[in-house]
Amino acid sequence: MADGDGLGEAAAAVASPPAPAPGLSPPLGWRERLRAGLAGTGASLWFVAGLGLLYALRVPLRLCENLAAVTVFLNSLTPKFYVALTGTSSLISGLIFIFEWWYFHKHGTSFIEQVSVSHLRPLMGGTEGSISEPGSPSSSRESETSRQNLSECKVWRNPLNLFRGAEYRSCATAYVLLAEEEATTIVDAERLFKQALKAGETIYRRSQQCQHQSPQHEAQLRRDTNVLVYIKRRLAMCARKLGRIREAVKIMRDLMKEFPPLTMLNIHENLLESLLELQAYADVQAVLAKYDDISLPKSAAICYTAALLKTRTVSDKFSPETASRRGLSTAEINAVEAIHRAVEFNPHVPKYLLEMKSLILPPEHILKRGDSEAIAYAFFHLQHWKRIEGALNLLQCTWEGTFRMIPYPLEKGHLFYPYPSCTETADRELLPPFHHVSVYPKKELPFFIHFTAGLCSSTAMIALLTHQFPEIMGVFAKAVSWCLLT
């Protein structure tokens, strides 16, 4: 999964100012600005035309007489009428507020907004129907909640950061330690790792011959196996960082074939990144078919690479306006669902991929589903998303739709277990103090809950004031009605 020769490019991207978010239009010329200005004044022109029409028809419609009659009627109203009116309004708005609050806590969205989007906006020619999320969940969506353990904040070694620390102090691991701590260049590190490989293979063969003599010899074989895999993997990453990508891919494939039980080392994530660099998308899909399995643990690299491959098939022709007009195709729905799945697993990645947050150097250890994993993934995979035309544009248009599918991510998940609440504390320990740690986006209350609450409170206050001070409120009501009618 680690990106070798992209290190310098990504580091330069960190130092440079953030680029504008994908999907933004270039600056408009004077003709476009004039045309947009004329289009924007259309509503004002219609309003002025309506006023002119009313003025022209004031005599046939007897507007003056009708206005005088309304004024007389309002002047004859008593304070009791205003108390009853405001009290009824407060009661109705309070009931609407209670229903909105209940509906939001049950379904995670506003009932009024949902009705407006589903029924009123199509009648008014709206353009934002089904971009953020597909119309209906795919019947083939996998359910992964049956195979994951309950989420806990377990820190993993960052598979991107492969030149740190050795666990043992034999001859082979001594070379590993020198390669990781003393070597100043990748070339020097590779030379020391090759010396470590010679020593490690000798020790491994010796342990194989003695493994059945005692439990201690079996434990020693497991230790020497881990050391040998450790060294070969670092040699593969040296080749990746020095631009010998095919050589790196071969070493990784041989490792995965020779030591298939060692999937916890996440070698397949390094292989995925190297294959993406080669643009061998068919091979990437083959690796995902094996490791993106319901019985295996997930990572940001697996989920977002799967989303990238599905996005690649539709992103070059994707247009939000066209999708709103005709709806999403089957391939586009699959791509959007894959993005939603990836965002549910790690919601921090999109802001780094879209360069809404600045990247820093990835830490030595990462936390699955945390900000540290998002930084590590985006640091090495951003170039692969940029390489595919329209991929970031589709991600920008759709990733936030995930949060509408998961109203309470800390309590209930959709495709994964609920998002662990301890990630922020662990990430603060893993990341440098100057970095602003990303936390799970908190779901805000819909506008109509605030609106109905304010309406209920204000009308109740007016009713109370009218009941306590009927004369003053009556004068105030008549003054307001006179101002509105004149």
Side-chain angles (χ1 to χ4, degrees):
M1 172 169 110
D3 180 355
D5 42 24
L7 182 62
E9 297 175 8
V14 174
S16 62
L24 295 181
S25 302
L28 299 175
W30 67 271
R31 292 183 180 178
E32 289 78 5
R33 290 198 298 270
L34 178 61
R35 190 178 296 113
L38 291 176
T41 58
S44 302
L45 293 176
W46 278 108
F47 179 71
V48 173
L51 290 180
L53 183 63
L54 284 177
Y55 181 78
L57 298 176
R58 68 187 187 282
V59 176
L61 296 178
R62 303 175 61 187
L63 293 180
C64 295
E65 292 83 348
N66 292 333
L67 186 62
V70 171
T71 304
V72 172
F73 172 75
L74 292 176
N75 289 333
S76 64
L77 295 176
T78 63
K80 291 183 179 180
F81 170 80
Y82 292 106
V83 171
L85 177 64
T86 52
T88 304
S89 301
S90 177
L91 175 63
I92 294 174
S93 57
L95 293 175
I96 296 174
F97 167 71
I98 294 172
F99 176 77
E100 275 283 300
W101 184 270
W102 169 81
Y103 193 88
F104 173 74
H105 276 271
K106 184 175 180 62
H107 300 284
T109 185
S110 165
F111 175 78
I112 300 177
E113 287 181 5
Q114 189 176 25
V115 171
S116 302
V117 171
S118 303
H119 302 287
L120 299 182
R121 183 173 295 174
L123 297 176
M124 301 173 65
T127 59
E128 296 182 2
S130 57
I131 302 177
S132 298
E133 53 187 291
S136 61
S138 172
S139 60
S140 61
R141 178 185 291 123
E142 61 177 295
S143 175
E144 304 186 20
T145 57
S146 61
R147 56 89 182 159
Q148 291 186 338
N149 295 325
L150 290 176
S151 299
E152 59 178 299
C153 291
K154 178 181 178 182
V155 175
W156 297 68
R157 175 177 289 276
N158 181 3
L160 303 166
N161 193 340
L162 297 177
F163 298 99
R164 278 287 178 198
E167 289 84 359
Y168 310 107
R169 293 299 177 264
S170 65
C171 178
T173 52
Y175 279 119
V176 171
L177 186 63
L178 288 173
E180 294 178 338
E181 301 295 341
E182 297 296 329
T184 57
T185 65
I186 301 298
V187 175
D188 292 339
E190 185 181 35
R191 176 178 53 82
L192 290 169
F193 277 128
K194 286 181 178 178
Q195 293 178 274
L197 179 62
K198 293 179 181 179
E201 287 178 336
T202 302
I203 297 172
Y204 175 71
R205 285 193 295 269
R206 189 185 307 143
S207 298
Q208 273 188 316
Q209 296 171 359
C210 304
Q211 61 175 315
H212 301 296
Q213 295 182 4
S214 67
Q216 290 77 14
H217 285 88
E218 291 180 1
Q220 184 175 351
L221 176 62
R222 288 194 298 270
R223 183 202 69 177
D224 295 334
T225 301
N226 289 334
V227 172
L228 184 63
V229 173
Y230 189 94
I231 296 170
K232 287 186 175 182
R233 183 183 185 186
R234 275 141 186 77
L235 280 171
M237 295 316 302
C238 285
R240 168 67 183 94
K241 290 178 181 292
L242 293 172
R244 305 195 306 271
I245 306 175
R246 296 188 184 280
E247 178 184 341
V249 168
K250 183 179 184 306
I251 296 175
M252 293 176 197
R253 287 189 185 278
D254 292 342
L255 270 178
M256 293 165 61
K257 192 178 299 183
E258 188 177 358
F259 304 101
L262 298 180
T263 55
M264 75 289 296
L265 297 178
N266 297 324
I267 301 175
H268 56 279
E269 297 185 12
N270 299 99
L271 178 60
L272 285 173
E273 195 282 326
S274 298
L275 292 173
L276 285 173
E277 181 62 23
L278 292 174
Q279 301 185 43
Y281 298 113
D283 293 335
V284 173
Q285 185 62 59
V287 175
L288 285 176
K290 182 177 181 180
Y291 289 97
D292 192 6
D293 185 78
I294 194 171
S295 62
L296 297 177
K298 295 293 178 287
S299 67
I302 290 177
C303 294
Y304 278 90
T305 301
L308 180 61
L309 290 190
K310 292 187 178 180
T311 299
R312 174 176 168 267
T313 61
V314 298
S315 60
D316 58 334
K317 299 178 182 178
F318 177 79
S319 169
E321 294 78 14
T322 305
S324 298
R325 194 163 50 248
R326 61 166 172 77
L328 294 173
S329 65
T330 302
E332 288 171 339
I333 289 177
N334 292 336
V336 171
E337 287 179 347
I339 290 176
H340 287 175
R341 171 179 178 256
V343 175
E344 181 184 353
F345 182 83
N346 193 316
H348 313 295
V349 172
K351 286 192 175 182
Y352 293 109
L353 291 179
L354 297 173
E355 298 180 88
M356 299 166 66
K357 286 192 69 175
S358 58
L359 279 171
I360 62 172
L361 290 173
E364 182 179 349
H365 293 84
I366 61 173
L367 182 68
K368 290 291 183 71
R369 305 185 75 178
D371 192 30
S372 52
E373 184 191 32
I375 293 172
Y377 172 81
F379 189 88
F380 292 97
H381 283 256
L382 176 58
Q383 60 175 337
H384 305 313
W385 282 82
K386 286 185 174 181
R387 184 180 293 127
I388 297 177
E389 181 183 357
L392 290 175
N393 179 44
L394 181 57
L395 176 68
Q396 184 183 38
C397 293
T398 57
W399 74 277
E400 291 181 327
T402 310
F403 306 121
R404 287 192 287 274
M405 299 165 52
I406 317 171
Y408 305 100
L410 303 183
E411 303 168 14
K412 182 180 180 181
H414 181 59
L415 296 174
F416 301 97
Y417 274 97
Y419 188 81
S421 58
C422 58
T423 55
E424 182 180 359
T425 303
D427 275 330
R428 291 191 187 279
E429 297 179 1
L430 295 172
L431 297 169
F434 62 82
H435 175 71
H436 180 69
V437 175
S438 176
V439 296
Y440 202 103
K442 293 180 173 60
K443 194 173 183 67
E444 298 180 354
L445 290 177
F447 162 77
F448 285 104
I449 287 185
H450 294 286
F451 177 77
T452 52
L455 182 63
C456 176
S457 303
S458 59
T459 51
M461 182 62 67
I462 294 174
L464 179 62
L465 291 175
T466 305
H467 179 72
Q468 293 294 327
F469 310 102
E471 294 81 6
I472 297 176
M473 294 302 295
V475 173
F476 177 75
K478 292 177 181 178
V480 171
S481 61
W482 183 81
C483 292
L484 292 176
L485 295 174
T486 57

